[in-house]
């Protein structure tokens, strides 16, 4: 017998399962039922004993999820005989099967709290990942998950009924790196999951072997030392097995100066700094008063880089006579910077020494022909007329690659050695010729072309750029000096960590603009790359871009290139350095007696000159302000001026106005002091130029020694000079410091008979007083011999009269004050009478120049300028600049002098 339950969790008294028992008992009555089995949650109850009808009911609530089916046996028994129910009869056993029906009481639950997946961009996947939810219901209908749903809107993903997520379009890493999706699930009874689940899908860019963590723009601040270029760099190999790595790092500086950043001093100064001995002659100097043969050539003005001259194939210059010796019998050196592109079939002359007139013989020349560098050196006439080496040919790629290269030729006949960028090259061809015939024809040295004396014209013009063309006679240039001249001030550098020093091989090129690495361990290789840095040792580097390129080759186990690593390109931006402001200051106006100008020492022009260089920069400063009892820090930008020290390479003293007349005036300086400081001096009728790279202190000391002499001062009243100093071949120029010197002439007493009585007293004053003529510092050395002119006497008399009037005014005011006091004190009238009978006022009309100047200032406070005052201003000059200490001492001296003059003598009262 089988019984089905219609509901789970039926109570024992609520739901009855009908059971009809056709049991034949002896007396026709059924007394009960007995259920056989363990832990059977059911009981059987008789409803009608006569018919044997009964019910099976649950003792407690049933749970389909705990037990879906129940099976047990049941047996009926009658009431038996007698009152005690003896001889009770039992029926046969019947099997009962009860199935508990399910209700949809549970919601779906995801197996994981969250899901993650990673995909590569640019692909469509059939399944990115699978999510799964379960339902605790026991029935097939309610326990099955019928659908999944993506709750997050507008995402390029879909999910099927089995929980497989896939993308609906190709994913792009640049558009989105990470997608976050919210998912839910439904069972077949339409119950939704109790909690939604989060799915994260990372988008990975397509794996391309390359250097990662490389900044394309790297800023370099001048003066900060070395700067790491690749501090976070690493190589992505896409999990390929790597056996060896080779990389080259190129720093492109060809557009900076002559191939890279170098000191932009004159070539002559650079030779000295590199240790070259004397005798070097600069053939392409910066245009100036002392070197004017390069004035007509286009240049880059030498502001941020070297002085470069351009030759366009139609122009050449003549070097004046005497600059270079016409015969070069001793060993000599020619050095030049050259940038030359593919040329034609014609010869292009760099330097040529040829006949000045009548003939076209070339004595020596350096020229380019068909990308060959050729040196022609014809020997002078000798007793033997044998063939001798005359032309030396070098076939070089550098001659025509449109890049800057440094060429040095050491010539010690018959041997000639060529250095190109510090490397030695031997000539591939040497031709011979007879020595020149004897001749008295003078020669002409030219640059950028060759002079044809017979036709009086230039030929063989050069097309390209030249710089630093030098000839040095008497001694050859050594390799150390050559390397110093070529070495760049900027380049790549690497400090190898000890643990990887042996694992990676590192090689530099000569100017450190490129380096190559080779190794087999990726980790060690990356560490070396991270220690590569850029360094610029110049105090004021050339600003601008330096392009940077990293080229890499990777090999796998089969010793073949298994993956291709693209070049990584960027640039180093060298920022504009703080430009120094070079300031010249000192006494700019003074007067001296004529005798000093005519003496052998002359007059020192810059006795108190100071050279100071400063830079101005903006700094951020935190300032604290109190607001409502709380500190509120704010950041403010403040301009700060900072004094710095650097070298100078030129100071030029120029005459303002008429040029110097060599017959009676000159500028002089102690040459021994010049040479002691490794400086050079050149002078002309327009002034004096001091050159050489040296400190500002040494330049100050030398400029203090410059003297002006004039041994015919009768018609001279003043002379004006201008001083300008510069650094880095004119890149930074100081202010124009102008100095005016006045000549004080002696007066002739015979020409001023009407002043004969006054003159001795004036002379006495001059002999015992230090003069300061309205700001002109007068020398005390020869004051006893200086006699003022008539105009000066008139000025002194006028000013003395003004002082007299002031003293008289003070006297009258004091007298009036005393009279008032007597009226107020009636009892003391006799005592307070002002006795002026014995009053004597003595005024010295000849005051010192300091008193005159002080009196003039006091007079200006009380009345307007008179015509006499205007005349005085025309004759005297403005007070020269001096330090605060000197000014204080002068004021104290003037104050004490005035106090002595204005002191009231009341000894007679």
């Amino acid at each position: 017998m089988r019984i089905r339950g219609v509901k789970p969790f039926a109570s024992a008294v609520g739901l009855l399962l009908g059971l009809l028992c056709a049991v034949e008992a002896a007396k026709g009555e059924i007394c009960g039922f007995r259920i056989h089995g363990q832990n059977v949650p059911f009981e059987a109850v008789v409803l009608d004993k006569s018919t044997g009808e009964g019910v099976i009911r649950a003792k407690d609530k049933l749970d389909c999820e705990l037990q879906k089916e129940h099976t047990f046996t049941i047996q009926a028994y009658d009431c038996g005989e007698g009152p005690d129910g003896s001889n009770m009869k039992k029926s046969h056993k019947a099997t009962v099967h009860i199935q508990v029906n399910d209700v949809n009481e549970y919601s779906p639950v995801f197996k994981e709290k969250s899901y993650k997946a990673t995909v590569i961009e640019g692909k469509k996947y059939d399944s990115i990942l699978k999510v799964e939810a379960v339902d605790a219901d026991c029935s097939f209908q309610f326990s099955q998950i019928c659908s999944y749903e993506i709750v997050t809107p507008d995402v390029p993903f879909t999910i099927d009924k089995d929980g497989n997520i896939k993308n609906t379009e190709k994913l792009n890493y640049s558009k989105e790196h990470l997608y976050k999706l919210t998912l839910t699930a439904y069972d077949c009874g339409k119950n939704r999951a109790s909690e939604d689940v989060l799915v994260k899908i990372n988008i990975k860019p397509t794996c391309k072997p390359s250097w990662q963590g490389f900044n394309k723009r790297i800023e370099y601040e001048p003066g900060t030392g070395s700067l790491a270029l690749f501090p976070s760099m690493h190589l992505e190999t896409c999990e390929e097995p790597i056996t060896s790595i080779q990389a080259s790092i190129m720093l492109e500086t060809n557009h900076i100066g002559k191939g890279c950043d170098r000191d932009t001093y004159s070539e002559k100064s650079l030779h000295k700094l590199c240790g070259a001995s004397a005798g070097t002659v600069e053939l392409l100097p910066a245009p100036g008063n002392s070197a004017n043969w390069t004035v007509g050539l286009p240049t880059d003005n030498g502001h941020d880089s070297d002085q470069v001259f351009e030759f366009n194939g139609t122009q050449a210059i003549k070097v004046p006579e005497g600059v270079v010796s016409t015969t070069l019998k001793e060993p000599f050196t020619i050095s030049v910077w050259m940038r030359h592109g593919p040329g034609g079939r014609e010869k292009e002359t760099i330097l040529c020494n040829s006949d000045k007139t009548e003939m076209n013989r070339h004595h020596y020349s350096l020229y380019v022909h068909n990308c060959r560098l050729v040196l022609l050196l014809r020997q002078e006439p000798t007793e033997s007329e044998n063939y001798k080496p005359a032309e030396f040919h070098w076939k070089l790629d550098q001659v025509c690659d449109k890049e800057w290269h440094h060429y040095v030729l050491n010539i010690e006949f018959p041997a000639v050695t060529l250095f190109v960028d510090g490397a030695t090259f031997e000539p591939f061809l040497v031709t011979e010729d007879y020595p020149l015939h004897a001749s008295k024809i003078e020669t002409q040295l030219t640059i950028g072309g060759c002079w044809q004396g017979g036709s009086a014209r230039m030929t063989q013009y050069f097309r390209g750029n030249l710089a630093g063309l030098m000839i040095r006679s008497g001694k050859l240039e050594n390799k150390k000096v050559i390397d110093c001249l070529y070495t760049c001030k900027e380049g790549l550098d690497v400090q190898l960590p000890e643990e990887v020093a042996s694992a990676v091989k590192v090689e530099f090129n000569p100017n450190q603009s490129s380096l190559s690495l080779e190794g087999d361990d990726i980790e060690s290789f990356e560490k070396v790359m991270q220690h590569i840095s850029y360094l610029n040792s110049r105090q004021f580097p050339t600003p601008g871009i330096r392009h940077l390129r990293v080229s890499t080759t990777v090999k796998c186990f089969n010793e073949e290139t298994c993956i291709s690593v693209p070049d990584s390109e960027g640039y180093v931006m060298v920022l504009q350095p703080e430009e120094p402001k070079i300031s010249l200051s000192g006494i700019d106006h003074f007067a001296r007696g004529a005798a000093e100008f005519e003496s052998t020492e002359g007059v020192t022009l810059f006795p108190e000159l100071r050279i100071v260089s400063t830079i101005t920069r903006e700094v951020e400063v935190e300032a604290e302000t109190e607001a409502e009892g709380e500190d509120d820090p704010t950041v403010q930008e403040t301009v700060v001026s900072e004094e710095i020290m650097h070298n100078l390479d030129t100071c030029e003293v120029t005459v303002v106005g008429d040029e110097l007349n060599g017959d009676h005036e000159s500028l002089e300086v102690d040459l021994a002091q010049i040479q002691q400081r490794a400086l050079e001096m050149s002078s002309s009728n327009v002034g004096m130029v001091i050159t050489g790279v040296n400190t500002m202190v040494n330049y100050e000391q030398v400029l203090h020694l410059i003297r002006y002499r004039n041994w015919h001062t009768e018609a001279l009243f003043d002379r004006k000079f201008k001083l300008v100093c510069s650094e880095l071949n004119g890149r930074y120029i100081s202010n124009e410091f102008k100095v005016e010197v006045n000549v004080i002439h002696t007066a002739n007493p015979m020409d001023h008979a009407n002043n004969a009585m006054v003159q001795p007293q004036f002379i006495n004053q001059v002999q015992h007083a230090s003069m300061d003529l309205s700001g002109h510092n007068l020398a005390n050395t020869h004051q006893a011999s200086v006699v003022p002119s008539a105009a000066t006497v008139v000025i002194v008399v006028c000013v003395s009269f003004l002082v007299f009037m002031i003293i008289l005014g003070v006297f009258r005011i004091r007298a009036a004050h005393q009279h008032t006091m007597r009226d107020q004190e009636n009892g003391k009238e006799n005592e307070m009478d002002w006795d002026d009978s014995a009053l004597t006022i003595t005024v010295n009309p000849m005051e010192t120049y300091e008193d005159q100047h002080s009196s003039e200032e006091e007079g200006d406070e009380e009345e307007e300028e008179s015509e006499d005052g205007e005349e005085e201003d025309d004759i005297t000059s403005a007070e020269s600049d001096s330090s605060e200490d000197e000014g204080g001492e002068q004021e104290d001296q003037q104050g004490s002098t005035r106090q002595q003059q204005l002191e009231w003598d009341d000894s007679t009262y």
Side-chain angles (χ1 to χ4, degrees):
M1 187 172 91
R2 185 179 182 188
I3 301 175
R4 293 174 59 91
V6 296
K7 285 186 180 181
F9 301 107
S11 64
V13 295
L15 176 62
L16 298 178
L17 297 178
L19 176 63
L20 179 61
C21 296
V23 181
E24 293 184 0
K27 295 185 178 181
E29 289 183 355
I30 299 301
C31 286
F33 301 96
R34 182 174 294 169
I35 296 175
H36 299 278
Q38 284 185 328
N39 300 322
V40 177
F42 297 97
E43 63 180 1
V45 179
V46 177
L47 295 179
D48 190 344
K49 292 182 178 183
S50 61
T51 59
E53 182 181 0
V55 294
I56 297 176
R57 59 186 180 185
K59 297 178 181 179
D60 202 350
K61 293 181 179 180
L62 300 178
D63 191 346
C64 178
E65 285 71 33
L66 294 178
Q67 189 170 349
K68 191 175 181 180
E69 293 183 351
H70 297 271
T71 301
F72 54 89
T73 58
I74 189 171
Q75 190 176 29
Y77 58 90
D78 59 12
C79 296
E81 297 177 356
D84 55 356
S86 60
N87 297 325
M88 182 177 58
K89 304 291 185 182
K90 299 179 182 178
S91 68
H92 67 277
K93 294 180 180 178
T95 302
V96 179
H97 294 281
I98 299 177
Q99 182 175 355
V100 182
N101 289 339
D102 189 20
V103 294
N104 196 7
E105 59 178 320
Y106 291 103
S107 297
V109 177
F110 286 97
K111 286 187 175 182
E112 303 290 341
K113 292 183 177 180
S114 64
Y115 294 86
K116 293 181 181 180
T118 300
V119 296
I120 299 175
E121 66 173 347
K123 292 178 63 177
K124 289 191 70 175
Y125 293 83
D126 294 333
S127 177
I128 296 175
L129 79 159
K130 182 178 181 179
V131 299
E132 187 177 359
V134 294
D135 195 309
D137 290 314
C138 63
S139 65
F140 178 81
Q141 178 184 3
F142 298 138
S143 64
Q144 295 299 309
I145 306 300
C146 283
S147 65
Y148 294 91
E149 181 183 344
I150 298 176
V151 180
T152 305
D154 302 326
V155 289
F157 299 94
T158 185
I159 188 170
D160 60 17
K161 64 178 182 177
D162 296 324
N164 294 307
I165 300 175
K166 64 181 181 179
N167 53 318
T168 58
E169 62 184 40
K170 292 181 179 180
L171 304 176
N172 192 334
Y173 176 79
S174 60
K175 182 179 179 181
E176 191 69 46
H177 296 358
L178 173 67
Y179 286 93
K180 294 181 179 180
L181 312 178
T182 302
L183 272 65
T184 191
Y186 292 91
D187 61 19
C188 294
K190 301 302 180 181
N191 255 10
R192 180 173 174 169
S194 57
E195 291 184 4
D196 297 338
V197 70
L198 178 65
V199 178
K200 295 181 180 180
I201 301 177
N202 289 292
I203 312 302
K204 187 178 180 180
T206 303
C207 185
K208 297 178 181 178
S210 61
W211 286 104
Q212 304 291 325
F214 174 55
N215 293 328
K216 290 188 175 181
R217 177 186 171 96
I218 305 166
E219 292 188 353
Y220 180 80
E221 185 175 350
T224 56
S226 60
L227 174 67
L229 297 176
F230 321 112
S232 304
M233 204 174 194
H234 66 277
L235 182 62
E236 174 61 62
T237 60
C238 296
E239 300 181 358
E240 289 285 345
I242 304 301
T243 58
S244 67
I245 312 172
Q246 294 178 345
S248 64
I249 297 89
M250 291 287 299
L251 181 70
E252 297 179 4
T253 59
N254 294 334
H255 61 292
I256 303 295
K258 298 193 295 284
C260 66
D261 213 359
R262 296 181 175 89
D263 284 329
T264 55
Y265 296 116
S266 67
E267 198 68 21
K268 194 171 184 179
S269 297
L270 290 175
H271 274 69
K272 282 192 173 183
L273 290 174
C274 287
S277 58
T280 303
V281 178
E282 190 170 7
L283 299 182
L284 284 175
N289 295 327
S290 59
N292 55 6
W293 63 88
T294 59
V295 171
L297 292 176
T299 71
D300 69 347
N301 295 325
H303 287 302
D304 287 337
S305 57
D306 306 271
Q307 189 80 45
V308 174
F309 295 90
E310 179 182 353
F311 294 84
N312 57 16
T314 62
Q315 62 198 92
I317 58 174
K318 295 180 180 180
V319 179
E321 294 182 9
V323 175
V324 179
S325 174
T326 55
T327 60
L328 296 173
K329 296 181 180 180
E330 298 178 347
F332 67 98
T333 298
I334 299 176
S335 64
V336 65
W337 285 92
M338 181 177 70
R339 179 171 59 187
H340 180 261
R345 297 181 178 179
E346 301 294 329
K347 294 181 179 179
E348 299 180 46
T349 300
I350 301 170
L351 178 68
C352 180
N353 188 42
S354 59
D355 289 333
K356 196 170 187 178
T357 58
E358 300 182 20
M359 303 178 70
N360 298 327
R361 299 179 305 171
H362 297 179
H363 293 249
Y364 64 86
S365 67
L366 181 65
Y367 62 90
V368 174
H369 187 212
N370 291 333
C371 293
R372 298 179 182 180
L373 185 67
V374 183
L375 173 67
L376 170 67
L377 183 60
R378 297 290 299 278
Q379 292 299 301
E380 297 297 328
T382 59
E383 296 179 358
S384 61
E385 295 295 330
N386 299 328
Y387 274 102
K388 293 184 178 181
E391 280 191 337
F392 302 83
H393 298 251
W394 293 270
K395 190 173 183 179
L396 303 168
D397 295 335
Q398 292 92 329
V399 172
C400 293
D401 63 359
K402 294 184 179 181
E403 301 291 346
W404 279 106
H405 297 285
H406 186 230
Y407 302 84
V408 178
L409 291 106
N410 275 343
I411 303 160
E412 189 172 16
F413 191 81
V416 178
T417 305
L418 172 66
F419 296 88
V420 180
D421 297 338
T424 307
F425 291 86
E426 295 295 331
F428 81 97
L429 176 65
V430 178
T431 61
E432 295 182 341
D433 202 348
Y434 284 109
L436 295 171
H437 297 292
S439 172
K440 295 183 180 180
I441 301 175
E442 295 181 353
T443 59
Q444 175 65 60
L445 184 62
T446 56
I447 301 172
C450 202
W451 177 254
Q452 300 294 327
S455 56
R457 64 186 181 90
M458 286 283 187
T459 60
Q460 302 176 8
Y461 289 104
F462 180 77
R463 294 177 178 85
N465 297 99
L466 298 176
L469 180 57
M470 309 284 292
I471 287 185
R472 179 185 177 195
S473 59
K475 191 175 181 181
L476 299 180
E477 210 73 270
N478 60 51
K479 185 67 166 60
K480 183 178 180 181
V481 173
I482 294 172
D483 291 340
C484 174
L485 292 172
Y486 175 69
T487 301
C488 295
K489 293 293 185 179
E490 66 176 340
L492 299 173
D493 191 20
V494 60
Q495 299 294 331
L496 292 178
E498 294 183 1
E499 62 271 16
V500 299
S502 60
V504 181
K505 181 181 179 181
V506 182
E507 292 182 354
F508 284 91
N509 69 336
N511 62 354
Q512 291 191 300
S513 62
S514 69
L515 63 87
S516 59
L517 307 178
E518 185 175 355
D520 53 12
D521 180 65
I522 294 181
E523 184 178 352
S524 299
F525 202 92
E526 289 176 346
K527 285 185 178 180
V528 175
M529 289 290 292
Q530 292 168 4
H531 283 79
I532 295 175
S533 59
Y534 169 80
L535 176 64
N536 195 316
S537 60
R538 292 190 65 191
Q539 187 176 12
F540 306 108
T542 303
I545 291 175
R546 277 75 162 163
H547 289 283
L548 195 64
R549 184 174 69 253
V550 180
S551 302
T552 309
T553 302
V554 178
K555 293 184 179 180
C556 297
F557 284 103
N558 54 6
E559 293 298 324
E560 295 182 358
T561 303
C562 54
I563 58 176
S564 177
V565 179
D567 291 353
S568 298
E569 296 185 354
Y571 61 91
V572 177
M573 172 59 76
V574 179
L575 302 179
Q576 180 75 36
E578 300 289 347
E579 295 193 359
K581 180 182 179 182
I582 306 173
S583 303
L584 309 179
S585 61
I587 301 175
D588 61 356
H589 206 164
F590 57 90
R592 295 290 186 270
E596 288 195 41
F597 289 90
E598 297 175 357
S599 66
T600 56
E601 292 85 5
V603 174
T604 303
L605 291 182
F606 313 107
E608 298 182 13
L609 176 71
R610 282 205 65 203
I611 305 176
V612 177
S613 183
T614 57
I615 58 173
T616 303
R617 62 180 63 179
E618 291 185 356
V619 296
E620 293 184 352
V621 180
E622 281 193 4
E624 294 185 358
T625 58
E626 294 185 359
E628 297 181 359
E630 296 182 359
D631 292 339
D632 183 18
T634 58
V635 177
Q636 299 178 352
E637 289 188 355
T638 304
V639 177
V640 177
S641 181
E642 178 182 349
E643 183 175 344
I644 63 171
M645 299 299 296
H646 57 79
N647 292 331
L648 298 176
D649 59 3
T650 304
C651 279
E652 184 173 1
V653 181
T654 308
V655 180
V656 179
D658 297 335
E659 297 180 354
L660 293 174
N661 189 333
D663 294 336
H664 62 265
E665 59 181 341
S666 66
L667 286 175
E668 299 178 358
V669 68
D670 189 348
L671 292 179
Q673 295 292 330
I674 293 281
Q675 296 171 357
Q676 182 180 343
R677 292 168 175 82
L679 298 174
E680 293 186 359
M681 184 275 294
S682 61
S683 60
S684 64
N685 57 351
V686 296
M688 177 184 293
V689 180
I690 299 174
T691 57
V693 181
N694 217 312
T695 63
M696 293 187 294
V697 174
N698 280 338
Y699 264 94
E700 263 188 17
Q701 294 172 353
V702 170
L703 292 172
H704 288 167
L705 302 176
I706 295 179
R707 308 181 305 274
Y708 169 65
R709 289 187 60 204
N710 191 313
W711 44 94
H712 292 295
T713 59
E714 292 83 1
L716 180 66
F717 291 95
D718 58 57
R719 252 313 193 181
K720 297 179 181 179
F721 300 90
K722 177 179 66 177
L723 173 64
V724 176
C725 294
S726 64
E727 161 71 333
L728 293 174
N729 211 15
R731 181 176 174 184
Y732 302 116
I733 303 175
S734 72
N735 61 305
E736 292 185 354
F737 179 64
K738 295 182 179 180
V739 172
E740 179 179 348
V741 293
N742 296 109
V743 182
I744 301 178
H745 293 278
T746 58
N748 189 350
M750 296 301 296
D751 296 336
H752 307 282
N754 57 339
N755 294 329
M757 298 302 294
V758 182
Q759 188 74 14
Q761 187 176 3
F762 179 82
I763 295 175
N764 186 58
Q765 290 288 340
V766 172
Q767 290 176 347
H768 295 85
S770 62
M771 296 181 292
D772 187 351
L773 205 111
S774 184
H776 298 337
N777 292 335
L778 303 183
N780 298 328
T781 309
H782 304 283
Q783 287 179 356
S785 62
V786 178
V787 181
S789 62
T792 307
V793 173
V794 172
I795 294 172
V796 172
V797 172
C798 293
V799 174
S800 300
F801 179 76
L802 180 61
V803 173
F804 170 77
M805 295 301 296
I806 293 173
I807 295 174
L808 185 59
V810 172
F811 167 72
R812 291 183 178 273
I813 293 173
R814 184 171 180 181
H817 176 71
Q818 294 290 345
H819 181 71
T820 304
M821 294 298 295
R822 285 198 306 268
D823 292 342
Q824 293 177 354
E825 299 179 6
N826 296 327
K828 299 180 180 180
E829 185 174 357
N830 295 332
E831 297 178 4
M832 297 301 297
D833 279 345
W834 185 267
D835 184 9
D836 57 355
S837 58
L839 176 63
T840 301
I841 300 176
T842 303
V843 177
N844 187 352
M846 297 305 172
E847 302 292 339
T848 63
Y849 287 109
E850 291 87 343
D851 296 336
Q852 295 168 24
H853 182 58
S854 302
S855 301
E856 181 184 352
E857 291 179 352
E858 295 174 0
D860 289 340
E861 295 176 358
E862 298 184 5
E863 61 184 75
E864 297 178 355
E865 251 180 40
S866 64
E867 294 181 358
D868 293 338
E870 294 174 354
E871 180 182 356
E872 179 182 354
D873 289 341
D874 292 338
I875 295 175
T876 60
S877 58
E879 185 175 356
S880 62
D881 294 333
S882 61
S883 65
E884 294 180 3
D885 295 339
E886 293 173 348
E889 292 175 3
Q890 292 175 1
E891 290 178 1
D892 293 341
Q893 293 174 1
Q894 293 175 2
S896 62
T897 304
R898 288 194 297 268
Q899 184 178 358
Q900 293 173 3
Q901 293 174 346
L902 297 179
E903 183 177 357
W904 192 263
D905 183 11
D906 57 355
S907 59
T908 58
Y909 297 98

